Amino acid sequence: MKVIIAGHYITQFGELWSKSLIDLMREAIKGAIEDSGLTETDIEAVFVSNMGSGQNDNQLHLGALASQMISGYPAASRTEGACASGGLAMIAAEQALLSNQYQTVLVVGVEKMNDADSSLTTKYLAAAANYTTESGSTFPGLYAILANAHIKKFGTTRSQLSAVAKKNHHHGFDNSQAQYHKQLTIEQISNSSLVADPLRLLDCSPITDGAAAVVLTTKQLKEQKRKRASIIGRGHGQDSLDLANRRSLIELDATTKAAKQAYQMAGLTSGDIEVAEVHDCFTIAEILAIEDLGFFKKGEGGKATEEGQTTYGGKVVINPSGGLKASGHPVGATGVKQIAYLAKLLEEKKFTRALAHNVGGSGATAIVHILSS
Amino acid sequence: MKVIIAGHYITQFGELWSKSLIDLMREAIKGAIEDSGLTETDIEAVFVSNMGSGQNDNQLHLGALASQMISGYPAASRTEGACASGGLAMIAAEQALLSNQYQTVLVVGVEKMNDADSSLTTKYLAAAANYTTESGSTFPGLYAILANAHIKKFGTTRSQLSAVAKKNHHHGFDNSQAQYHKQLTIEQISNSSLVADPLRLLDCSPITDGAAAVVLTTKQLKEQKRKRASIIGRGHGQDSLDLANRRSLIELDATTKAAKQAYQMAGLTSGDIEVAEVHDCFTIAEILAIEDLGFFKKGEGGKATEEGQTTYGGKVVINPSGGLKASGHPVGATGVKQIAYLAKLLEEKKFTRALAHNVGGSGATAIVHILSS
């Protein structure tokens, strides 16, 4: 049974001081339903992705809040898995469809991060790690460990890390909804202030407010003017939360597991993918991702990026939206936005095969989706 | 396709000062797998139910934490829907099975509430309501509104409310894992201190630490010594978070919707149910539940309770575990514990048809499951 992306919508990403969690969620829900050409009463269930509204807004039960924005109070729930919440909510929605419980559902991801002071935000992002062993680390600190392992093993360079950020800011420049529209030079990135050696400020994705939604259906849609994208592969990999228990620090096993499942289900290999939104919470995360997803050999992701293989004209276009780095990373929205953004590119006939890759924590959870035009 | 409850486990419920969130989760996971006779590597996915670990423990990403307690890192996610988190995680797990993604999964519900001070707990329970309109209300305040509406319309009495608590403390007396083993008189309950008129302290479910887990499978199990229970009906109803927007204050539409779906799927009526665990977060909630589930006519739930129709020898045994009232209400665990407790009773051949009813917020979300021996 095919899951069709009937509609999609992404709000502006950024520091949205005049918009609340509820404003963003409502805008994305209404936008995706309108884009689908369906009506609110066609939506049988709503799946909400969010990480931190409990801590940030003292608001839980977001499923019920989303449900009351849609006529007829569809069945609702919220899925959380740190920064992979969006991918997990997508999986939950797809399984609900494939179980024949529903024929049309909506997934909305939302995060309102800028109302909290930065100490709270830092604290709540750390809630994605394991409090028994890693509570002293910040997220940049964990990814710095992964970066150092990669540098030591493969000689990945400062310029290669910067090339990831430069390329994503270049891509984001053309995405009107991206948080940043600023092109950066390698020098600016390489000389930005140190956060967790070797990661610098411009290696890191920002704190972002935003929401994204998709309408998924297994029904044949009447209106055929537009060729909608379908989900043809999905995978879900899991690994230890604690870096200390990982098999490897130069590879995210959760990603390789998820990718293998998704390629197998789609009947494709990495070579068939033309475009991908990958989880570049830090520049090193994109290098790991493009290797672990099979686009480049292990250890060659930095070099490939520097050589232009991950932008238009190269082997595979990585993060055309600007990725988490330039488009922004409203945590619960990210995994849904990746799918929404790719669905739009496929509908515009810019590509025919796309991949979305969403990671939670420092690699404990990974979700891969493959989309086809 | 039939979903079989292959294994189940409930931890002690109570003020468990020496146990952490992780201790409780691990005990329930290991216990349910052991009870199932399966091995850890049979578990393909784990679904975690929890409401407040973000606020209480600054710990999110509980799916990944649960996954690393099970060999082979099964796919994991967390579902949240306030006090209905457990029922929602069950639904997510069942849909994953019915979509043919997995054949054997584990659902674990956990809540560690007693480490937080009571002002934080009060605040985080309020996170289940809508912060735009109800942030001034506490949970007892919202249920007091429902109680007053029922009293006004049907003449439900103080003694009838107390009869619910008395009966549940009587049932809980025989449940060794219940939080309270204290029998109460009508007078003690009716004279306990006022919390939100007409609800008194002994009308309210307590703050509880605890966990519960079930192993669900669609596979035929080899070991046939024990006749395991199956899930034969499920329903999911949704309504406005805000009482002001409800159609009725004397009936929870979310419950009636969920019940209708569950009965229809099971091919049963309320008259076929012999035993039920219902969501008695307050005494009035049990009276609403037994009416909305169709066991008694609207307005007659209090009278039926007073007449002994909801205990052994009556029409239907309601809350044999002691319910939320006496067994305790570790929020994320409750919906899973209801299923685990009923599965045990069915295996013991005490009953053949059972119903579980789990509510989120003041009735915005309701989940009903029907189990058969």
Side-chain angles (χ1 to χ4, degrees):
Chain A
M1 196 159 40
K2 211 161 79 163
V3 175
I4 299 163
I5 302 169
H8 47 80
Y9 187 91
I10 305 171
T11 70
Q12 182 64 47
F13 279 14
E15 295 190 19
L16 309 177
W17 299 101
S18 67
K19 291 193 177 173
S20 71
L21 179 83
I22 286 182
D23 292 336
L24 291 166
M25 190 155 73
R26 185 182 289 115
E27 180 185 335
I29 288 173
K30 301 285 179 188
I33 296 173
E34 194 186 330
D35 183 63
S36 72
L38 298 168
T39 60
E40 292 190 14
T41 49
D42 290 317
I43 307 298
E44 297 164 90
V46 52
F47 295 81
V48 178
S49 158
N50 173 268
M51 179 180 181
S53 67
Q55 285 116 305
N56 270 354
D57 279 318
N58 197 49
Q59 181 63 53
L60 295 169
H61 213 183
L62 290 191
L65 259 180
S67 178
Q68 67 183 22
M69 294 174 185
I70 303 170
S71 296
Y73 295 115
S77 66
R78 168 193 167 220
T79 307
E80 183 268 326
C83 303
S85 298
L88 287 171
M90 287 292 304
I91 297 255
E94 292 159 44
Q95 289 173 346
L97 289 169
L98 297 171
S99 76
N100 282 314
Q101 182 75 42
Y102 305 115
Q103 289 192 286
T104 304
V105 304
L106 185 142
V107 186
V108 58
V110 62
E111 207 83 35
K112 177 65 191 164
M113 303 177 78
N114 280 297
D115 288 348
D117 67 35
S118 59
S119 65
L120 177 64
T121 311
T122 304
K123 188 179 165 217
Y124 108 63
L125 289 172
N130 185 347
Y131 73 157
T132 58
T133 56
E134 291 185 349
S135 53
S137 295
T138 60
F139 253 101
L142 297 174
Y143 272 96
I145 293 171
L146 300 176
N148 282 318
H150 207 272
I151 288 167
K152 193 173 166 197
K153 178 93 177 178
F154 303 113
T156 297
T157 65
R158 175 64 256 172
S159 299
Q160 289 169 355
L161 293 173
S162 295
V164 173
K166 184 186 170 191
K167 182 264 298 171
N168 286 348
H169 275 265
H170 184 70
H171 286 178
F173 195 76
D174 294 323
N175 172 7
S176 62
Q177 289 155 310
Q179 181 160 3
Y180 298 123
H181 297 95
K182 186 175 168 63
Q183 307 241 27
L184 297 170
T185 64
I186 296 288
E187 291 65 38
Q188 284 174 309
I189 300 159
S190 296
N191 295 325
S192 61
S193 55
L194 202 58
V195 173
D197 195 15
L199 300 177
R200 293 175 178 269
L201 185 67
L202 295 174
D203 286 302
C204 307
S205 58
I207 300 297
T208 311
D209 306 324
V214 292
V215 174
L216 303 177
T217 188
T218 53
K219 281 202 259 193
Q220 199 63 39
L221 293 166
K222 274 183 232 148
E223 183 218 331
Q224 292 293 350
K225 275 174 281 182
R226 180 169 125 194
K227 176 81 170 69
R228 289 178 173 82
S230 296
I231 295 171
I232 61 166
R234 78 182 62 79
H236 179 168
Q238 212 72 48
D239 197 358
S240 166
L241 266 174
D242 306 318
L243 293 187
N245 294 330
R246 297 268 174 92
R247 185 191 61 79
S248 166
L249 291 178
I250 54 153
E251 189 172 327
L252 296 189
D253 281 356
T255 296
T256 56
K257 269 164 83 172
K260 193 178 164 193
Q261 291 167 27
Y263 288 134
Q264 195 169 341
M265 180 179 159
L268 297 176
T269 69
S270 58
D272 298 313
I273 305 297
E274 301 151 20
V275 60
E277 288 279 320
V278 309
H279 200 91
D280 61 322
C281 47
F282 300 96
T283 50
I284 184 63
E286 178 165 318
I287 291 175
L288 289 168
I290 60 178
E291 294 169 357
D292 297 341
L293 294 165
F295 299 137
F296 301 97
K297 270 202 229 165
K298 182 47 69 184
E300 298 185 0
K303 187 164 156 280
T305 305
E306 210 166 28
E307 291 173 356
Q309 292 300 318
T310 58
T311 187
Y312 296 90
K315 189 180 176 198
V316 53
V317 181
I318 301 291
N319 283 325
S321 75
L324 284 60
K325 178 68 196 82
S327 177
H329 182 27
V331 172
T334 288
V336 184
K337 169 246 167 183
Q338 294 177 325
I339 304 280
Y341 197 85
L342 292 170
K344 180 172 157 283
L345 295 181
L346 294 174
E347 286 178 12
E348 291 169 353
K349 301 185 199 301
K350 291 189 174 135
F351 303 95
T352 61
R353 295 275 186 277
L355 182 148
H357 165 252
N358 187 203
V359 173
S362 56
T365 303
I367 307 294
V368 171
H369 279 93
I370 298 176
L371 276 60
S372 172
S373 60
Chain B
M1 195 156 45
K2 212 161 79 164
V3 175
I4 299 163
I5 301 169
H8 47 80
Y9 187 90
I10 305 171
T11 70
Q12 182 64 47
F13 278 13
E15 294 190 20
L16 309 177
W17 299 101
S18 67
K19 291 193 176 172
S20 70
L21 179 83
I22 286 183
D23 292 336
L24 291 166
M25 191 155 73
R26 186 182 287 112
E27 180 185 336
I29 287 173
K30 302 284 179 189
I33 295 173
E34 194 186 330
D35 183 64
S36 72
L38 298 168
T39 59
E40 292 191 14
T41 49
D42 290 317
I43 308 297
E44 298 164 89
V46 52
F47 295 80
V48 178
S49 159
N50 172 268
M51 180 180 181
S53 67
Q55 284 116 304
N56 271 355
D57 279 317
N58 197 49
Q59 181 64 52
L60 295 170
H61 213 183
L62 289 191
L65 259 179
S67 177
Q68 65 182 23
M69 294 174 183
I70 304 170
S71 297
Y73 296 115
S77 66
R78 168 192 167 221
T79 306
E80 182 268 325
C83 304
S85 298
L88 286 171
M90 288 293 302
I91 297 256
E94 292 159 45
Q95 288 174 346
L97 289 169
L98 297 172
S99 76
N100 281 313
Q101 182 75 42
Y102 305 114
Q103 290 193 286
T104 304
V105 303
L106 185 142
V107 186
V108 57
V110 62
E111 207 83 35
K112 178 65 189 164
M113 304 176 78
N114 279 298
D115 288 348
D117 67 34
S118 59
S119 65
L120 177 64
T121 310
T122 304
K123 189 179 164 217
Y124 108 62
L125 289 173
N130 184 348
Y131 73 159
T132 59
T133 58
E134 291 186 348
S135 53
S137 295
T138 60
F139 253 102
L142 296 175
Y143 272 96
I145 293 171
L146 300 177
N148 282 318
H150 207 273
I151 288 167
K152 194 174 165 197
K153 178 93 176 178
F154 302 113
T156 298
T157 65
R158 175 64 257 170
S159 301
Q160 290 169 354
L161 293 173
S162 295
V164 173
K166 184 187 171 192
K167 182 263 300 172
N168 286 348
H169 275 265
H170 183 72
H171 287 178
F173 195 77
D174 294 323
N175 172 6
S176 63
Q177 288 155 311
Q179 180 159 3
Y180 299 122
H181 298 96
K182 185 173 168 65
Q183 307 241 26
L184 297 170
T185 64
I186 296 287
E187 291 65 37
Q188 283 173 308
I189 300 159
S190 296
N191 295 326
S192 61
S193 54
L194 202 57
V195 173
D197 194 16
L199 300 177
R200 292 172 179 271
L201 185 66
L202 295 174
D203 287 301
C204 307
S205 57
I207 300 298
T208 310
D209 305 324
V214 292
V215 174
L216 303 178
T217 189
T218 53
K219 282 202 258 194
Q220 199 63 39
L221 293 166
K222 275 183 230 149
E223 183 217 331
Q224 293 293 350
K225 275 176 279 183
R226 178 170 127 194
K227 175 82 171 70
R228 289 179 174 82
S230 298
I231 295 170
I232 60 165
R234 78 183 61 81
H236 178 168
Q238 212 72 48
D239 197 358
S240 166
L241 266 174
D242 306 318
L243 293 187
N245 294 329
R246 297 269 174 90
R247 185 190 61 79
S248 165
L249 291 178
I250 54 155
E251 189 171 328
L252 295 189
D253 281 356
T255 296
T256 56
K257 269 163 83 173
K260 193 178 163 192
Q261 291 168 27
Y263 288 133
Q264 195 170 339
M265 181 180 159
L268 298 177
T269 68
S270 58
D272 298 313
I273 305 298
E274 301 151 19
V275 60
E277 288 278 319
V278 307
H279 199 91
D280 61 323
C281 46
F282 300 96
T283 49
I284 184 63
E286 178 164 318
I287 291 175
L288 289 169
I290 60 178
E291 295 170 357
D292 296 341
L293 293 165
F295 299 136
F296 301 98
K297 270 202 230 165
K298 183 47 69 185
E300 297 185 1
K303 187 164 156 279
T305 305
E306 210 166 28
E307 291 172 357
Q309 292 300 318
T310 59
T311 187
Y312 296 90
K315 188 178 175 199
V316 53
V317 181
I318 300 293
N319 283 324
S321 74
L324 284 60
K325 179 69 198 82
S327 178
H329 182 26
V331 173
T334 288
V336 184
K337 168 250 169 182
Q338 293 178 326
I339 304 280
Y341 197 86
L342 292 171
K344 179 173 157 283
L345 295 182
L346 293 175
E347 285 178 12
E348 290 169 354
K349 300 185 201 298
K350 291 188 175 137
F351 303 95
T352 61
R353 295 276 185 276
L355 181 148
H357 166 251
N358 187 204
V359 174
S362 56
T365 303
I367 306 295
V368 170
H369 279 93
I370 297 177
L371 276 60
S372 172
S373 61

